[in-house]
Amino acid sequence: MANTYNVTEFIFLGLSPNQEVQKVCFVIFLLLYLAIVLGNSLIVLTVLTSRSLGSPMYFFLSYLSFVEICYSSTTALKLLSDLLAERKTIPWWGCMTQLFFIHFFGGAEAFLLTVMAYDRYVAICKPLNYTTIMNRQVCMVLVGMAWVGGFVHSSAEILLIFQLPFCGPNVIDHYFCDVLPLLQLACSDTLLIGLLIVANGGTLSVVSFVVLLVSYVVILLHLRTRSSEGRRKALSTCGSHITVVMLFFVPCVFIYMRPSTTLPADKMVAVFYTVVTPLLNPVIYSLRNAEVKKAMKRLWTRAMKLGGT
């Protein structure tokens, strides 16, 4: 049974033991987190209020932005509070809760990026049937499947961790609860559970990444038959998607597609996929998409008019 031993809380070592460095990190990560929330919220609001962004691609983009806010919040809020605390602790149940939601939102994002790749495949390779295939009901089902996929993935991770006894060491050399650091603290043989975790998290990352790359290769090959203007628009859209896919999956594969070992670089890699990637997503999608930029300008104009009245 989970937690049948004497560990009731865990202690994070955080990003740095230096108090001055922690204060600087607090300011930096606070600004980054606010930018994540504001940037992704702006995309959600823009898609919801703009008639020109009614296509499935923007429907999925709004959900991706919402997931990014939730995903980043699971680690950033605790990190910010710990940067101001001398003793960085989290209760056992809090650690399990954080672990669940990290993998829930992370898994949902992985499946959602795969759904977005399928949407681009249908739009580019089957344009005449696009509106029929990707109708609103289908889009809702695909988003629902992404949420269910994230829940199943996270539930499997948490059930595996629940089997581990923690009977002594409780110091985590990280800034949030994740499966690999917790495996290092268990006072039992973790080889089998470690392999199962790799099979769950690592395989999800690798298979999704490979499927996404193959789908975009098929799309790029299909673009050879398009006009130069059609190729330019499609490449601009797919380029944004491919950039986001690389930013999310490469760090995840590095972390989760290896046995139960931790590396000094893990914390910095984790910062990248929990903070930097959610920060860059709205920048990538807005700067490379003329329709999103126009819709944001119209939203800003309406807001200014309402503010002036």
Side-chain angles (χ1 to χ4, degrees):
M1 184 178 295
N3 199 29
T4 55
Y5 295 87
N6 59 359
V7 171
T8 59
E9 68 176 14
F10 296 98
I11 301 172
F12 293 132
L13 292 184
L15 296 176
S16 171
N18 189 296
Q19 291 292 326
E20 295 303 317
V21 172
Q22 290 185 42
K23 292 177 183 178
V24 174
C25 287
F26 174 80
V27 175
I28 293 174
F29 282 99
L30 176 62
L31 294 175
L32 292 176
Y33 178 66
L34 291 175
I36 289 169
V37 174
L38 292 175
N40 285 285
S41 297
L42 179 60
I43 286 184
V44 173
L45 184 61
T46 301
V47 173
L48 290 177
T49 58
S50 177
R51 294 180 180 179
S52 64
L53 303 181
S55 70
M57 179 178 74
Y58 300 112
F59 174 77
F60 295 133
L61 176 59
S62 66
Y63 272 95
L64 177 66
S65 295
F66 174 72
V67 170
E68 293 285 29
I69 294 172
C70 298
Y71 183 52
S72 179
S73 297
T74 57
T75 58
L77 293 176
K78 177 61 177 170
L79 171 62
L80 289 171
S81 65
D82 283 345
L83 287 171
L84 297 178
E86 291 186 10
R87 193 166 182 266
K88 305 166 179 53
T89 62
I90 186 171
W92 182 90
W93 62 265
C95 183
M96 297 301 110
T97 302
Q98 186 183 53
L99 177 66
F100 175 82
F101 282 107
I102 287 171
H103 286 272
F104 173 54
F105 292 120
E109 180 170 353
F111 288 112
L112 193 54
L113 288 171
T114 306
V115 167
M116 293 176 73
Y118 174 70
D119 170 70
R120 289 301 83 204
Y121 166 78
V122 176
I124 294 172
C125 299
K126 302 178 184 295
L128 298 179
N129 299 320
Y130 178 62
T131 54
T132 303
I133 296 174
M134 299 301 293
N135 58 62
R136 183 49 63 101
Q137 184 177 2
V138 170
C139 292
M140 293 297 294
V141 169
L142 290 174
V143 169
M145 290 174 61
W147 286 114
V148 171
F151 178 81
V152 171
H153 161 68
S154 184
S155 297
E157 296 281 81
I158 206 74
L159 286 174
L160 290 171
I161 294 298
F162 269 10
Q163 307 303 313
L164 298 176
F166 299 100
C167 52
N170 67 337
V171 177
I172 299 177
D173 188 13
H174 215 304
Y175 64 92
F176 65 87
C177 286
D178 205 358
V179 288
L180 295 184
L182 287 172
L183 284 176
Q184 303 297 308
L185 300 181
C187 51
S188 65
D189 184 11
T190 61
L191 177 61
L192 178 58
I193 291 181
L195 291 175
L196 291 174
I197 286 174
V198 169
N200 180 29
T203 303
L204 170 64
S205 299
V206 172
V207 171
S208 299
F209 188 44
V210 171
V211 169
L212 285 163
L213 289 182
V214 170
S215 66
Y216 284 119
V217 168
V218 172
I219 290 172
L220 293 175
L221 290 175
H222 186 82
L223 287 176
R224 293 184 300 177
T225 61
R226 293 290 189 90
S227 65
S228 58
E229 180 65 17
R231 283 199 301 270
R232 187 189 65 79
K233 290 183 178 180
L235 285 172
S236 176
T237 302
C238 290
S240 300
H241 291 191
I242 293 172
T243 302
V244 171
V245 165
M246 296 294 289
L247 289 173
F248 180 75
F249 279 103
V250 171
C252 288
V253 170
F254 174 79
I255 292 291
Y256 297 111
M257 198 57 195
R258 54 173 212 254
S260 54
T261 57
T262 56
L263 300 175
D266 285 355
K267 281 191 281 189
M268 291 301 102
V269 175
V271 167
F272 192 85
Y273 67 79
T274 60
V275 177
V276 177
T277 299
L279 175 68
L280 292 179
N281 277 2
V283 177
I284 292 169
Y285 281 113
S286 61
L287 291 182
R288 294 180 62 91
N289 192 300
E291 291 185 13
V292 173
K293 287 190 288 187
K294 289 178 182 177
M296 285 183 174
K297 288 180 181 178
R298 287 195 295 269
L299 179 63
W300 176 257
T301 301
R302 291 200 301 269
M304 289 298 98
K305 287 181 180 179
L306 291 175
T309 56

